[in-house]
Amino acid sequence: PRQLATGWAARLVQPLLAWSWMVTLPLRVAERSARPSMVAANGQFLVVDAAALERAGGWAAADAVLDDIALARAVRRAGGRTGVADGSTLATCRMYDGWDEVSAGYRKSLWSAFGIPVAALLALVYVVPALAALRGSRAGLVGYLAAVVSRAVAAGRTGTRVWPDSLAHPVSVGLVLGLLVASRRDRAAGRLSWKGRKV
């Protein structure tokens, strides 16, 4: 669905959800793959064939922090197919309001979403060029502009705000990386909970 993001925190972080699929995952290749590790799913607007759900083990198959991904992987393991479609003209979703909700919502699951190698790659590709551009690097400026274009294209495709938000893409990635560090720290300390339940 189209992400409704108001306030600085949601505007910086929420658009990365659709951007990450559109830019980092070859969706059509992933849809043809039988590998459970190649799934993308969005629990905000999820359509599941009843027979495929039953073969995958029912809703119990989604017993994970990232329940949408767990369910899609179970469907794949049971021989089913999965795919992601642009539902931005059919539905909207406002996940979080304000930094406290954004932070709690992402910290509860980022530890399981991706690891340190992916985080390092994101920093290298989307944060370092912007920092280099600030120091006068032309190569850094080109890297920064490429990041902005990727964000603008994804935002335009999914009906979310393009400008000036896309210009802050390195800040967005930096915030998510900070949330990932906090998520891993809180997970190790046993401090994560979501809606009153321990994670």
Side-chain angles (χ1 to χ4, degrees):
R2 182 167 50 89
Q3 301 298 309
L4 301 179
T6 56
W8 69 269
R11 283 178 60 182
L12 284 170
V13 176
Q14 262 324 104
L16 293 185
L17 190 63
W19 169 84
S20 66
W21 301 332
M22 296 179 79
V23 174
T24 65
L25 182 65
L27 288 175
R28 298 305 166 238
V29 172
E31 287 174 358
R32 288 190 292 270
S33 172
R35 296 177 56 184
S37 62
M38 292 286 287
V39 303
N42 186 333
Q44 299 166 354
F45 190 52
L46 191 63
V47 178
V48 184
D49 178 76
L53 178 63
E54 187 175 332
R55 283 192 303 275
W59 292 112
D63 187 24
V65 174
L66 293 174
D67 52 358
D68 49 1
I69 299 293
L71 181 61
R73 286 181 176 163
V75 167
R76 282 264 177 101
R77 281 193 294 274
R81 295 179 57 196
T82 65
V84 176
D86 177 9
S88 61
T89 60
L90 301 174
T92 59
C93 179
R94 181 186 319 276
M95 284 182 67
Y96 307 117
D97 281 319
W99 174 250
D100 291 342
E101 287 185 15
V102 168
S103 177
Y106 278 90
R107 280 186 298 111
K108 68 122 167 71
S109 59
L110 274 177
W111 62 270
S112 68
F114 58 91
I116 299 304
V118 172
L121 184 62
L122 287 171
L124 183 64
V125 173
Y126 297 105
V127 177
V128 170
L131 294 174
L134 288 174
R135 296 180 56 101
S137 166
R138 287 185 179 168
L141 180 60
V142 169
Y144 165 71
L145 292 175
V148 168
V149 167
S150 76
R151 172 77 172 265
V153 168
R157 179 73 173 92
T158 59
T160 57
R161 185 178 288 113
V162 177
W163 307 112
D165 300 38
S166 297
L167 297 172
H169 189 65
V171 175
S172 298
V173 173
L175 277 174
V176 168
L177 294 176
L179 289 170
L180 172 64
V181 169
S183 178
R184 289 180 161 272
R185 179 199 63 217
D186 291 351
R187 169 77 172 162
R191 291 192 299 249
L192 289 181
S193 64
W194 184 246
K195 297 186 178 179
R197 293 171 290 176
K198 277 287 199 191
V199 176

